[in-house]
Amino acid sequence: MKLILQLLFVLFINLGFSQDYREAFIIFKDSSSIEGFAEIKNNDIYFKVKQEDKADKWSYDFAKGLIFSSYGYSEKYEYIEFEHSKPKLLQVVEEGNVNLYRYAKEYYIGRSSNLSIGKLPSDEDKVWAMTEALYVKRKNEPYATDIEFSFTLRAKKYFADCKKVVEKINSKKITKNNIKDMVFFYNEYCDSDYE
């Protein structure tokens, strides 16, 4: 249910402000930042200081990430490195000893079959779907780990330093469907003082 609400909120934000860039801070690799307006397209950040300015394109070569901040809501994205591909701009879902990242991609699957007789197809009839992938990464690790693929095996290995998490995975209290809860639990209760 939470995921559906999050997706609807992101969709609302994207549709509601599709003509204007959203308020944001771009963060550079030297940790400096600039306030302005931004949007994300194809793993690149398009940023401008004022709405009426022309946007500059930034990639992982110079930018560290982006924070959208408006209407009391903050949404953070960071370029994260992978072992066999170039860095991807991922949404930060949970921060702590282990960070949880989300990569979502919308794709076109066709047109609605509910066209009225005599009505020509339009953009409103397009049907879209979304894929999502979750990754984990500790601050001292160079690359992110896909936590969903072979979830039980990978999660038990990745979180082996916390017996409580491994017990929850073994007892099926933590599954592929509640990865966010697992990372939150780990960050809250699994440190050197807890064990």
Side-chain angles (χ1 to χ4, degrees), residues 45-84:
I45 297 170
Y46 288 81
F47 184 83
K48 52 189 177 179
V49 176
K50 298 178 186 169
Q51 279 285 17
E52 60 271 10
D53 292 345
K54 183 178 184 276
D56 293 319
K57 179 178 166 183
W58 295 90
S59 71
Y60 57 86
D61 295 325
F62 298 101
K64 181 178 179 181
L66 178 73
I67 299 174
F68 288 113
S69 58
S70 58
Y71 303 104
Y73 181 74
S74 180
E75 193 177 336
K76 185 176 181 180
Y77 291 82
E78 289 181 0
Y79 279 109
I80 302 301
E81 293 192 39
F82 292 86
E83 192 169 7
H84 299 292

Side-chain angles (χ1 to χ4, degrees), residues 15 22 104 182 188:
L15 291 175
R22 293 166 51 194
M182 174 184 64
E188 284 294 311

Side-chain angles (χ1 to χ4, degrees), residues 133-168:
L134 296 173
Y135 302 92
V136 288
K137 182 180 174 298
R138 290 182 174 90
K139 289 180 173 52
N140 63 347
E141 294 173 335
Y143 306 116
T145 300
D146 179 349
I147 198 66
E148 292 179 299
F149 181 75
S150 295
F151 171 77
T152 302
L153 180 67
R154 285 188 180 203
K156 284 172 29 175
K157 182 178 178 183
Y158 194 85
F159 294 101
D161 62 327
C162 182
K163 294 175 195 159
K164 294 290 184 189
V165 169
V166 174
E167 287 171 13
K168 287 177 177 279

